[in-house]
């Protein structure tokens, strides 16, 4: 009782809304993502469920993130419990959204290895917390080694990449949502 939404996310409608908001055709998204038009159509019509890799390709083509698409797939609610044991089994590596719905903040838990070659850049600030294991994060030309309990803060716009250095590493990433315009006022507040 009190848990919200027991059914899986339906990301297709969020993909379609984002594509239409950018005034893009399926063919353009297919070209940008390297995925086929029929597969993209199946995703949008909830007849296919994209893998994490495919969802990231679609997100890149739509100039957003997989986290944003997943958040847009689920309506916001004021109180929500996300149970650790409620996620369905997935092959390694896996990502689990810790905040459902379209909110001002997103949090995801990454378990296992990660595509270390993929460079990431988010519009707004984010915090990376190592819940278990260890990671190496490369940002602004420097490598940072983080262990269990360590955090790394990244200002919006910083290009970075990360990789797990220990099996079964769990990394929690908390970020200001992409749809929020972060204030960059360096003047002193009175």
């Amino acid at each position: 009782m009190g848990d919200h939404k027991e059914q899986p996310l339906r990301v297709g409608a969020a993909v379609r809304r984002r594509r239409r908001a950018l005034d893009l055709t399926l063919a353009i998204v297919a070209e940008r993502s390297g995925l086929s038009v029929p597969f993209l159509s199946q995703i949008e019509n909830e007849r296919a469920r994209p893998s994490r890799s495919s969802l990231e390709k679609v997100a890149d083509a739509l100039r957003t993130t997989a986290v944003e698409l997943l958040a847009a797939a689920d309506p916001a609610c004021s109180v929500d419990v996300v149970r650790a044991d409620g996620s369905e089994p997935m092959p390694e590596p896996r990502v689990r959204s810790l905040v459902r719905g379209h909110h001002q903040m997103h949090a995801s838990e990454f378990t296992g290895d990660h595509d270390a070659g993929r460079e990431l850049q988010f519009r707004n600030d984010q915090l990376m917390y190592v819940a278990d294991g260890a990671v190496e994060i490369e940002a602004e030309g420097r490598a940072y080694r983080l262990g269990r309990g360590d955090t790394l803060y990244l200002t919006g716009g910083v290009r970075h990449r990360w990789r797990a250095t220990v099996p079964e590493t769990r990394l929690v990433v908390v970020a200001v949502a992409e749809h929020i315009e972060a204030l960059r006022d360096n003047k002193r507040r009175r």
Side-chain angles (χ1 to χ4, degrees):
M1 185 173 177
D3 288 359
H4 183 61
K5 296 186 194 64
E6 297 300 323
Q7 55 190 343
L9 290 177
R10 300 173 64 84
V11 74
V15 170
R16 180 183 298 115
R17 280 191 306 272
R18 176 71 179 180
R19 179 179 63 79
R20 288 180 177 169
L22 295 173
D23 200 27
L24 299 175
T25 64
L26 280 173
I28 291 171
V29 176
E31 183 180 320
R32 288 180 180 179
S33 67
L35 301 171
S36 71
V37 170
F39 180 60
L40 291 171
S41 176
Q42 289 176 341
I43 289 171
E44 285 192 0
N45 291 306
E46 305 294 347
R47 290 192 307 268
R49 192 171 186 188
S51 66
R52 187 183 87 185
S53 174
S54 293
L55 187 59
E56 287 174 350
K57 289 176 183 179
V58 171
D60 288 345
L62 296 174
R63 296 186 179 110
T64 190
T65 66
V67 170
E68 284 290 325
L69 288 175
L70 289 170
D74 205 5
C77 59
S78 59
V79 176
D80 189 18
V81 174
V82 178
R83 300 272 181 211
D85 59 357
S87 61
E88 57 190 70
M90 296 175 70
E92 294 291 325
R94 62 187 181 271
V95 62
R96 180 172 70 100
S97 182
L98 301 175
V99 177
R100 295 184 283 204
H102 197 63
H103 294 284
Q104 295 179 5
M105 177 190 76
H106 294 293
S108 299
E109 177 186 63
F110 295 87
T111 303
D113 205 359
H114 176 70
D115 180 5
R118 184 168 188 248
E119 186 175 67
L120 305 167
Q121 181 181 27
F122 297 97
R123 177 179 173 185
N124 292 324
D125 299 358
Q126 67 177 13
L127 177 79
M128 302 173 91
Y129 169 74
V130 181
D132 206 10
V135 297
E136 182 174 277
I137 301 170
E138 182 185 315
E140 296 188 326
R142 290 186 59 196
Y144 301 89
R145 295 175 196 270
L146 284 76
R148 185 175 185 212
D150 292 341
T151 62
L152 179 88
Y153 179 85
L154 295 168
T155 300
V158 172
R159 293 182 183 279
H160 63 284
R161 58 179 51 118
W162 67 272
R163 68 182 184 89
T165 58
V166 173
E168 287 298 308
T169 289
R170 290 184 317 133
L171 178 70
V172 175
V173 178
V174 179
V176 176
E178 293 286 315
H179 69 278
I180 302 295
E181 183 66 39
L183 300 176
R184 299 274 182 230
D185 185 9
N186 293 331
K187 297 177 185 177
R188 279 192 221 168
R189 297 189 180 183
R190 298 177 191 197

